[in-house]
Amino acid sequence: MEEENVRKNRETSNGSIDPSVISLPGDKVKPAVLKRQIGLISGISLIVGTMIGSGIFISPKAVLEGTGAVGPCLCVWAACGILATLGALCYVELGTMITKSGGEYSYLTEGFGPVLGYLYSWTTIIVLKPSSFAIIALSCAEYASAPFYPGCTPDVVVTKCLAVASLLLISIVNCMSVKLASYVQNIFTVAKLFIILVIVVAGIVLLAQGNTKNLSNSFEGGTTSFGAIGLAFYNGLWAYDGWNQLNFITEELIDPYRNLPLAIIIGIPLVSVCYVLVNIAYFTVLTATELLQSPAVAVTFGDKVLHPVSWIVPLFVVFSTFGAANGNCFTGGRLTNVAGREGHMIKILSYISVKYYTPAPAIIFNGILAIVYIIPADINTLINYFSFAQWVFYGLTALVLIVFRFTRKEMKRPVKIPIAIAVLVVVVSCYLVLAPIIDKPEVEYLYCTLFILSGLPLYFLFVFHKFHWTRRIMRPITLHLQLLMEVVPPEKIE
């Protein structure tokens, strides 16, 4: 009875349990905070490893479909790299001004208030992050199962089971250790850079041998359609997606004022150069028609150039997608954790494991949603229609930087970029949002918009108006989940 009273006294006002209740007798209770364990190399690996997933091995044909010719296709790939770099430069200034984790969520909340921050977290945590995690896992599973189904498409059930297994494995790794997750990211980043190097070197050798036919008159037949080029950019930028990932873990970066800018300045141009060179390598072997007909461009390239060791291409694509999924899980968990900490998601999602010092509840939540998204037949459509929402938030984040130049002149800016870069990112974001809708308006865009706006009533019901009945329901659930997962509220360290 006395022990029960002690336990109750240690419960905090929000219904959580003190760390010392969960820890074993004799254990030294350390502050429950996410530690700064991510250095420069791990930061670069996170950016490169998250950006290079399955996109460069699959989406070149989608970019070619939108542009209609080899020359414009290569220009779009290069332009996407430039745009990603310019966007990342905006995030460098914001990330060194506002040293909170959460990326766009923290910047939008600081710049435009909690409502817009909530809408971003609602859309990204519920749809964008877990569905992206699921798509990458499915790509990994398709390549992993393909060798066991020669000459035919892998069974859908097998593919989805493998995807779920990879999601579970990655989530467990990220729940157990930040350092282990970083090691996994570093190892698989090296693996994907190796296969890109193999493809690029093969392309250089073929060019030296005179295989330039597909690159001559490369602008003939190119499209000038406003919407088609916008869709080509969408597909190219899908392969570049991940350029903003380091800003999600700012609080865990060692010396963020130095390592955040350096990792971005090194990582994104590296990926951009790799992507352009890989596409040139593809066109040294494949005609535009062959590339469009190929189900997996990199595998077709390997079959033609690297035989009899062409099997290394699908193997390393599996490594590449697995590493990208790991990076997605790592950053997705941090966004969910920060949103929970700010009261925009349920509090349990902000809690930290007392054993491993990881945001375990947030990672588990993200993994469960990803598994749910694997169940439908096709989630690529979901991502395609929600991509415009992502660029709405990118544009608004760049707009925050512009607004801060006039309203927060006193803020310390360790890195200051020309304001013209932020203006250009806002303009391009508007184009990428509006071009596909104007060129080919579809009702799905309206559904996506309605989903985003559906966060407004949820915000005013559960965040703005904090009803007592919701607390009464959540308090026992939170206590039981704490004891089950051995997690506690994050502590503030000055």
Side-chain angles (χ1 to χ4, degrees), residues 142-434:
E142 286 171 5
Y143 276 96
S145 58
F148 301 97
Y149 293 86
C152 62
T153 304
D155 185 76
V156 175
V157 175
V158 172
T159 301
K160 290 188 176 184
C161 287
L162 280 174
V164 170
S166 64
L167 289 177
L168 290 173
L169 178 60
I170 290 167
S171 297
I172 290 169
V173 167
N174 279 268
C175 285
M176 289 183 63
S177 172
V178 173
K179 283 189 176 180
L180 180 58
S182 296
Y183 290 150
V184 169
Q185 193 67 30
N186 294 349
I187 291 167
F188 283 94
T189 298
V190 171
K192 64 184 68 182
L193 287 176
F194 171 76
I195 192 60
I196 283 178
L197 181 64
V198 169
I199 293 172
V200 169
V201 169
I204 292 172
V205 171
L206 290 167
L207 282 174
Q209 293 174 347
N211 291 277
T212 59
K213 182 181 177 182
N214 297 331
L215 297 170
S216 58
N217 301 319
S218 57
F219 285 86
E220 287 184 4
T223 183
T224 56
S225 167
F226 183 76
I229 293 174
L231 288 171
F233 268 95
Y234 264 147
N235 287 291
L237 289 166
W238 167 250
Y240 279 96
D241 194 43
W243 53 267
N244 60 330
Q245 296 300 292
L246 200 58
N247 291 72
F248 285 95
I249 61 162
T250 308
E251 293 172 22
E252 295 174 75
L253 274 177
I254 299 169
D255 191 6
Y257 298 112
R258 172 184 176 271
N259 289 335
L260 178 67
L262 272 178
I264 287 174
I265 291 168
I266 294 170
I268 298 174
L270 173 63
V271 174
S272 303
V273 171
C274 287
Y275 278 5
V276 173
L277 292 178
V278 165
N279 276 279
I280 292 172
Y282 289 155
F283 287 118
T284 60
V285 176
L286 305 171
T287 64
T289 304
E290 287 174 329
L291 192 142
L292 290 172
Q293 292 174 346
S294 171
V297 180
V299 175
T300 305
F301 177 89
D303 290 338
K304 289 197 170 192
V305 178
L306 302 176
H307 190 76
V309 291
S310 57
W311 54 268
I312 69 168
V313 175
L315 175 64
F316 277 85
V317 171
V318 171
F319 293 160
S320 179
T321 49
F322 189 87
N326 180 73
N328 185 289
C329 177
F330 193 95
T331 56
R334 271 60 184 179
L335 172 60
T336 307
N337 175 265
V338 173
R341 188 177 69 192
E342 299 298 322
H344 286 173
M345 290 285 158
I346 56 175
K347 281 292 182 183
I348 188 68
L349 296 178
S350 70
Y351 288 8
I352 308 296
S353 169
V354 294
K355 279 187 176 180
Y356 306 115
Y357 300 98
T358 59
I363 292 169
I364 293 168
F365 180 75
N366 188 47
I368 290 171
L369 284 180
I371 291 171
V372 169
Y373 283 120
I374 281 177
I375 297 171
D378 182 21
I379 56 175
N380 284 285
T381 305
L382 180 72
I383 275 289
N384 287 340
Y385 288 119
F386 267 94
S387 289
F388 92 97
Q390 186 70 74
W391 278 96
V392 168
F393 293 122
Y394 286 156
L396 287 172
T397 304
L399 187 60
V400 169
L401 183 59
I402 299 171
V403 171
F404 278 177
R405 287 291 178 89
F406 298 98
T407 61
R408 304 282 185 91
K409 294 180 180 180
E410 77 287 351
M411 287 186 77
K412 181 183 177 183
R413 290 173 169 82
V415 178
K416 190 173 182 179
I417 64 166
I419 196 169
I421 292 177
V423 172
L424 180 61
V425 172
V426 171
V427 171
V428 172
S429 298
C430 291
Y431 167 72
L432 290 172
V433 170
L434 296 175

Side-chain angles (χ1 to χ4, degrees), residues 111-128:
F112 297 127
V115 175
L116 189 57
Y118 178 82
L119 291 179
Y120 171 80
S121 65
W122 161 251
T123 306
T124 307
I125 292 170
I126 302 300
V127 177
L128 290 176

Side-chain angles (χ1 to χ4, degrees), residues 22-33:
I22 296 177
S23 60
L24 297 174
D27 284 355
K28 184 179 179 181
V29 179
K30 299 177 182 178
V33 292

